[in-house]
């Protein structure tokens, strides 16, 4: 079975400072990995995905994530937070007809 | 945005009453899903469909049934709603089954409160 652990349930940063949202996964396969963002009262929107190509994946709105197989991690980063980045973020692992969501990390951005 | 419409978007119902949530897509994707979202659990799969009249259970299917009579519509029914089914329900679609590299697209959610 696959699983995802988002290491922080809540992250708070100041506007203009870097963002790091941590995700570890467990899978017996060569998984695909995704990051989704959910703004209040909205559905989930794809930020980026890793599908066994380049290990550094660039997404929308300046976000990127690095796949590290040796560490079974897929952390999401952004160099400079913006107020509009405040949302909940979900890490997702997909493989062998199974898809698992992490519990989510709520990002707060302070002015 | 993917063409996914959920209805109703908000509903309050009483314990023991039946409830049906509807998902309509305009993308002609073969696979459709119903998830529920609860704090601390992320999203959990309730049921999914891999074609017209082809459905299967997900991780948390007890108390729910689904039907898909047309490619574009996927219905989720709570036969007799309970307070534990108070949640936000998301419909999702994809071209390939989950477990592939294809992206899954989500609707905007249906907020259900069972009192």
């Amino acid at each position: 079975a696959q699983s995802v652990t988002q290491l922080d349930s809540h992250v708070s940063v100041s506007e203009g400072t870097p963002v790091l949202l941590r995700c570890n996964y467990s899978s017996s396969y060569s998984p695909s990995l995704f990051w989704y963002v959910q703004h209040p009262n909205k559905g989930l929107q794809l930020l980026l995905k890793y599908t066994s190509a380049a290990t550094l994946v660039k997404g929308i709105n300046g976000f990127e994530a690095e796949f590290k197989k040796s560490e079974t991690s897929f952390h999401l980063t952004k160099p400079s937070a913006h107020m509009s980045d405040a949302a909940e973020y979900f890490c997702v692992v997909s493989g062998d007809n199974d898809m698992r969501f992490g519990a989510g990390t709520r990002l707060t951005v302070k002015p | 945005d993917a063409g996914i419409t959920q209805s109703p978007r908000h509903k309050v119902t009483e314990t023991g009453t039946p409830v049906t949530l509807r998902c309509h897509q305009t993308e002609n994707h073969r696979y459709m899903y119903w998830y529920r979202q609860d704090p601390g659990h992320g999203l959990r799969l309730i049921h999914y469909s891999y074609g017209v009249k082809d459905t299967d259970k997900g991780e948390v299917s007890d108390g729910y049934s689904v039907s898909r009579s047309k490619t574009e519509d996927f219905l989720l029914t709570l036969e007799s709603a309970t307070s534990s089914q108070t949640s936000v329900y998301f419909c999702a679609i994809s071209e390939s089954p989950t477990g592939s590299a294809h992206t899954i697209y989500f609707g905007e959610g249906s907020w259900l409160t069972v009192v």
Side-chain angles (χ1 to χ4, degrees):
Chain A
Q2 301 179 121
S3 66
V4 176
T5 302
Q6 291 186 240
L7 298 169
D8 306 289
S9 60
H10 187 210
V11 170
S12 181
V13 301
S14 296
E15 190 174 21
T17 64
V19 176
L20 170 64
L21 305 182
R22 299 182 295 165
C23 172
N24 286 353
Y25 71 92
S26 173
S27 178
S28 302
Y29 315 100
S30 296
S32 296
L33 293 156
F34 303 78
W35 275 100
Y36 283 85
V37 60
Q38 184 183 28
H39 289 95
N41 300 319
K42 295 290 187 181
L44 280 70
Q45 179 186 14
L46 180 70
L47 272 179
L48 49 82
K49 67 179 181 181
Y50 166 77
T51 58
S52 75
T55 56
L56 183 62
V57 182
K58 294 187 184 299
I60 62 172
N61 300 331
F63 284 94
E64 62 181 37
E66 186 171 8
F67 174 71
K68 292 186 176 180
K69 187 175 181 179
S70 61
E71 299 176 10
T72 61
S73 69
F74 190 58
H75 300 335
L76 182 71
T77 60
K78 183 174 181 177
S80 175
H82 192 273
M83 295 297 292
S84 61
D85 294 328
E88 187 142 19
Y89 293 78
F90 293 93
C91 182
V92 181
V93 62
S94 178
D96 196 36
N97 294 322
D98 184 45
M99 192 172 196
R100 299 285 170 164
F101 288 77
T105 298
R106 180 164 299 278
L107 176 65
T108 300
V109 182
K110 298 175 290 186
Chain B
D1 290 342
I4 307 170
T5 304
Q6 293 186 228
S7 60
R9 294 291 314 281
H10 299 271
K11 186 174 181 65
V12 179
T13 192
E14 294 185 349
T15 299
T17 60
V19 176
T20 295
L21 305 181
R22 178 177 182 250
C23 178
H24 178 78
Q25 62 144 329
T26 57
E27 306 296 324
N28 201 35
H29 283 353
R30 178 180 175 187
Y31 296 86
M32 297 185 75
Y33 312 86
W34 278 106
Y35 287 89
R36 61 177 289 172
Q37 182 180 26
D38 304 289
H41 291 278
L43 273 73
R44 292 178 292 175
L45 182 65
I46 304 171
H47 281 280
Y48 66 98
S49 170
Y50 47 96
V52 173
K53 298 185 179 178
D54 292 323
T55 66
D56 207 348
K57 296 179 180 180
E59 181 185 358
V60 290
S61 60
D62 287 348
Y64 301 94
S65 62
V66 291
S67 65
R68 192 171 178 196
S69 59
K70 298 185 289 184
T71 299
E72 58 266 34
D73 290 328
F74 192 34
L75 303 181
L76 176 71
T77 297
L78 291 65
E79 302 290 348
S80 177
T82 68
S83 59
S84 65
Q85 294 176 311
T86 292
S87 187
V88 185
Y89 291 86
F90 286 96
C91 175
I93 65 173
S94 66
E95 294 180 86
S96 295
T98 57
S100 70
H102 279 84
T103 300
I104 184 169
Y105 300 95
F106 289 87
E108 296 215 325
S110 294
W111 275 253
L112 177 66
T113 302
V114 184
V115 298

